[in-house]
Amino acid sequence: MNDLINFFTEPYQTASALNISLEFIAALFGVISVFYAKKENILVFPTGIISTAIYVYLLSQWNLYGDLIINIYYTIMSLYGWYMWSKVIDNKQHHIPISRTNKADKIKAFGIFVFTSIFVIVVYRYYNVMPNNLGFGDSINYAITKLTSGNLTNFRQGTPYLDTFTTGIFFAAMWLMANKKIENWILWIAGNIVSIPLYFVKGYGFTGVQYSIFLILAIQGYFAWKKNLNNKNQTL
């Protein structure tokens, strides 16, 4: 039990009171934002902007470049989503409804995922967060070796490779959410499952707890949006 407590609290022993407070506030507003998303409430975006803006600052202090890029993008996409959700689409003052992705949406989401993942790899290799002296095959072997070693230090060295996946999938999810596509929740669920252990391993406990709550809310959000969509289809 003491080992578990030490694992959670050790990274905060050298952190400033300001950064600890900011991480807690950012995590809190992040949870509030996802709660509003589940309810299809436009407040998802202003509350989300507060969270991501704080995280942009914190992640710059922690040198977590992939996560920093994610939160800059979240902030921009929150502004876009805010506009999309508030936009009136007809003379009856209706807003964009929840819908499923079509083939074009899937292609765009996949393109966002691929482009983002490649971009993060380039950034990580430039800053040598990923070893920039390794070829493609050697990089894959390096990642597998580090992530399956069973050693916490080695696993942490391999986490940038998982970051490329979570960054790409969260970028695609945020775009889908801004356009009220129900599949956004499936991507959030997948990304959260990977992110939860990553943040605990990196030593950011509040954020790890936040993503654990995100996972629960994302599952609830999917079923809430699915029920909403089914009700609209039955009405039509």
Side-chain angles (χ1 to χ4, degrees):
M1 185 65 180
N2 287 336
D3 290 340
L4 179 62
I5 294 173
N6 289 336
F7 176 78
F8 186 87
T9 60
E10 182 180 2
Y12 293 101
Q13 293 174 5
T14 57
S16 68
L18 174 62
N19 281 1
I20 293 173
S21 300
L22 286 175
E23 186 186 354
F24 177 78
I25 293 169
L28 177 62
F29 272 93
V31 169
I32 293 171
S33 177
V34 178
F35 173 80
Y36 280 130
K38 185 185 76 168
K39 297 292 186 182
E40 198 189 350
N41 189 312
I42 200 169
L43 289 176
V44 55
F45 296 112
T47 53
I49 288 170
I50 293 172
S51 175
T52 55
I54 295 173
Y55 269 121
V56 166
Y57 165 76
L58 289 174
L59 292 162
S60 69
Q61 303 297 302
W62 299 338
N63 297 320
L64 296 177
Y65 302 109
D67 301 289
L68 174 62
I69 293 168
I70 289 175
N71 281 274
I72 291 174
Y73 172 81
Y74 280 174
T75 305
I76 295 171
M77 286 302 295
S78 290
L79 294 171
Y80 169 72
W82 199 344
Y83 164 74
M84 290 296 293
W85 284 33
S86 60
K87 183 174 67 172
V88 176
I89 61 172
D90 58 27
N91 57 8
K92 295 182 180 180
Q93 301 300 306
H94 289 152
H95 301 288
I96 60 171
I98 295 172
S99 63
R100 295 189 180 277
T101 54
N102 55 31
K103 185 177 180 180
D105 295 327
K106 289 181 172 67
I107 292 173
K108 289 176 184 178
F110 182 72
I112 291 171
F113 171 79
V114 172
F115 175 81
T116 304
S117 298
I118 292 172
F119 178 75
V120 172
I121 290 171
V122 170
V123 171
Y124 273 8
R125 286 178 70 88
Y126 177 81
Y127 287 103
N128 205 30
V129 176
M130 291 178 176
N132 54 24
N133 60 337
L134 300 178
F136 178 78
D138 289 335
S139 293
I140 296 297
N141 290 333
Y142 175 89
I144 293 173
T145 300
K146 293 294 184 182
L147 294 172
T148 60
S149 67
N151 179 277
L152 184 58
T153 300
N154 286 338
F155 187 86
R156 282 174 174 163
Q157 292 174 348
T159 55
Y161 292 88
L162 295 178
D163 284 343
T164 62
F165 169 79
T166 56
T167 305
I169 204 165
F170 285 150
F171 269 43
M174 190 67 188
W175 180 79
L176 290 173
M177 175 174 280
N179 289 280
K180 280 196 181 178
K181 301 298 180 179
I182 191 172
E183 289 84 356
N184 83 88
W185 292 113
I186 297 173
L187 298 190
W188 288 121
I189 290 168
N192 289 333
I193 288 172
V194 176
S195 294
I196 291 167
L198 280 184
Y199 276 105
F200 281 116
V201 166
K202 291 174 182 178
Y204 305 111
F206 285 138
T207 305
V209 171
Q210 176 197 36
Y211 274 83
S212 300
I213 299 172
F214 279 175
L215 176 59
I216 296 170
L217 290 176
I219 295 170
Q220 293 176 344
Y222 173 78
F223 286 108
W225 280 34
K226 185 178 180 182
K227 181 179 179 180
N228 184 303
L229 184 59
N230 290 340
N231 289 340
K232 288 180 179 177
N233 289 338
Q234 289 175 3
T235 301
L236 293 174

